[in-house]
Amino acid sequence: MSIGAPGTLVRMGVLALLWGSGFLWIKLALTGLPPVQLTVIRCALGAAVLLVLSRWAGQRLPRDRRIWGRLLVAAFFCNALPFALFSIGELTVDSGIAGVMNATTPLWSLLIGIGIGTERRITVLRVGGLVLGFAGIVLIFAPWQKSGLLGWGTLALLGAGISYAIAFAYMGRKLVGQGGPIAISAAQLLAATGLSALALPFDAAPSGPLNVTAVLAVVVLGIFGTGITFYLNYRLIADEGATSAATVGYLLPVVSVALGAIVLGEELGPRVLAGMAVVLLGVALTRYVRSSASKSISNPSCQPSPTVSRS
């Protein structure tokens, strides 16, 4: 099916809206939940949804201890750590900017690939995209200005993007083809729930008392933003191919920025908007390869990004 077909565009739009709104739900959930509690509940609800869907699809959880060991590593870098870091980052940084930082994952993936020698498709265009992408990040946070956004929250968001990149590199080597994708992702989120729970004693105090908004936000984030979206992305890849799924990744920052401005009243100056555009252009250039047979991983239990030429 063509990427421009109406049915495909509707699916892509719904998926982009659900995934891109995740940063809004995180911001709202933080009004009554601390970051680690939010992460544990999110992972647990997402795992519950995927367990039901995997049973419906006739897929079983893995029984091999070696696979579970690999899932623990993937769960840490792809779920537990970045989910917590995004929550920590959004304590001080707007949800729209968090969405853009999520889109930097391909930049880190390319940089890691160059560093460990697994990325062989190095071109002037892709290196230029890498430089341009990081220039956009610097433009957004403007460390040379007193009013710049550089701080611990910023570092947490950048750390989340790096964590996803590490996870994609690891999963591409260790988890591809290790069972039914829905069941594998359910198992991964179960592992992430357990790992996140270990950090509960060190959780920060909530920014406010538990409230209805926070509860509803974490429920929507866990069920729809973490569980249901995996299945939708899985179906999109199966029915329309990896190109459609990859395109969704580029829509997420647009959705997160728009929702942050409309719902939360977040203000974005010309410098920040220009930086966002530069980041997305840089990411697009780094993902450009002439060969149409490039291999990538598909495990949407990770938060998506334009790395997806597929989660």
Side-chain angles (χ1 to χ4, degrees), residues 97 136 139-141 149 267-277:
I97 292 178
L139 185 59
I140 290 173
F141 294 112
L149 299 172
E267 295 184 5
L268 299 172
R271 188 196 77 249
V272 175
L273 290 173
M276 291 177 178

Side-chain angles (χ1 to χ4, degrees), residues 14 47 71 199 212 223 279:
V14 171
L71 283 171
V212 174
I223 293 177
V279 166

